[in-house]
Amino acid sequence: MFLGCAIAKRTDSPEPDVAGKTAIRKPPVKVRVKSAPRKAAHARARVPNVERSALTRLRLVEATVQCLYELGYHQTSTVVVTQRAKVSRGAMLHHFPSKADLMMATMDHIRGKRGEAHRKHLEKITTEREQFLQLIDVLWEEFQTPTGVARIELMLGSRNDPELGPRFSKLNLELEVIHKELIWSRAQRLGIRNRKKVDAFTQLYAAAVRGLAIDALWPQSMPDIKGAIALLKEAQLNLLETLAEK
């Protein structure tokens, strides 16, 4: 009978501890389960492969410009450019398998920079006449920059390069044709109709400024060069006034 009463005893009653006192039942401890950390891609957006590739290519081209400016064409190797750009040799070969490929891409980059500089300089001037008279100034300014010097290095260095020479010569001819077309369009808007003289003047001032830029690589030549630029601009003004009257 006592055994049956013991079995019938409620099992949820507080149990006495060893000292005979009733133990206080504590509420269960809630264990917080930490969620898995988010992937780094959520915290920092991953750059798409196409964009990363374009950035690597740009770094290589910009490093090439600096090497040409500081070291010259013959000292600008793909190894030197790779080190300057801080990219792997494999990345260089992926984008530019040869030095000629790298130099052609650099020339295209320089062309874009020059076009951008012309637009920014001339858009500040409101009249067509003043824009035309500023053509020599903006070209001269561009030849004083690292891209301008790099352009000269590419032009001179490609002469004896059997791989780069023909490719650069073809591109250079195309750029000359485009340049003459742009100047002719400006001249027409000023009432000039003598295409032959405009083309000759375009050839003259481009070659003259380029030659003076080579002289400017020696700082001691700068005082005489400034006078030469002023004389070239004077000839430009005289030509404009003479042709615009006819």
Side-chain angles (χ1 to χ4, degrees), residues 100-151:
D101 294 328
L102 176 62
M103 295 303 159
M104 290 301 295
T106 302
M107 183 60 200
D108 191 61
H109 174 75
I110 293 171
R111 175 176 62 174
K113 287 288 186 181
R114 179 172 294 183
E116 181 182 355
H118 271 74
R119 287 189 295 273
K120 287 184 177 180
H121 185 104
L122 298 179
E123 69 184 6
K124 302 174 184 178
I125 305 170
T126 56
T127 66
E128 290 281 352
R129 177 185 173 86
E130 287 303 314
Q131 286 183 353
F132 188 87
L133 293 175
Q134 284 291 309
L135 292 173
I136 292 174
D137 295 278
V138 67
L139 184 59
W140 172 247
E141 288 176 6
E142 273 304 291
F143 270 119
Q144 303 309 297
T145 65
T147 56
V149 175
R151 168 75 167 79

Side-chain angles (χ1 to χ4, degrees), residues 152-172:
I152 293 173
E153 290 289 342
L154 283 171
M155 187 174 187
L156 298 178
S158 66
R159 289 179 61 249
N160 298 318
D161 190 316
E163 185 178 358
L164 178 62
R167 296 170 63 181
F168 184 89
S169 179
K170 180 182 177 182
L171 176 60
N172 194 55

Side-chain angles (χ1 to χ4, degrees), residues 157-231:
S158 66
R159 289 179 61 249
N160 298 318
D161 190 316
E163 185 178 358
L164 178 62
R167 296 170 63 181
F168 184 89
S169 179
K170 180 182 177 182
L171 176 60
N172 194 55
L173 181 60
E174 292 173 357
L175 294 178
E176 285 186 2
V177 171
I178 293 172
H179 186 207
K180 288 179 178 178
E181 286 294 335
L182 291 173
I183 303 304
W184 172 236
S185 295
R186 289 187 174 277
Q188 284 182 298
R189 292 197 291 270
L190 293 172
I192 299 174
R193 299 292 177 263
N194 193 327
R195 173 70 186 262
K196 186 174 181 180
K197 284 194 174 182
V198 171
D199 282 352
F201 172 73
T202 303
Q203 187 81 30
L204 172 64
Y205 94 77
V209 171
R210 185 165 53 243
L212 291 171
I214 295 175
D215 282 351
L217 296 176
W218 290 267
Q220 62 268 25
S221 300
M222 285 303 294
D224 293 336
I225 290 175
K226 290 181 180 179
I229 291 290
L231 184 61

Side-chain angles (χ1 to χ4, degrees), residues 62-113:
E62 289 181 340
T64 303
V65 169
Q66 288 301 317
C67 289
L68 288 169
Y69 174 65
E70 297 173 14
L71 307 175
Y73 177 79
H74 293 291
Q75 297 300 320
T76 301
S77 65
T78 55
V79 174
V80 171
V81 172
T82 299
Q83 294 170 348
R84 177 68 66 93
K86 296 181 180 180
V87 302
S88 66
R89 181 65 175 164
M92 166 65 84
L93 294 175
H94 172 73
H95 289 283
F96 307 111
S98 69
K99 180 178 179 178
D101 294 328
L102 176 62
M103 295 303 159
M104 290 301 295
T106 302
M107 183 60 200
D108 191 61
H109 174 75
I110 293 171
R111 175 176 62 174
K113 287 288 186 181

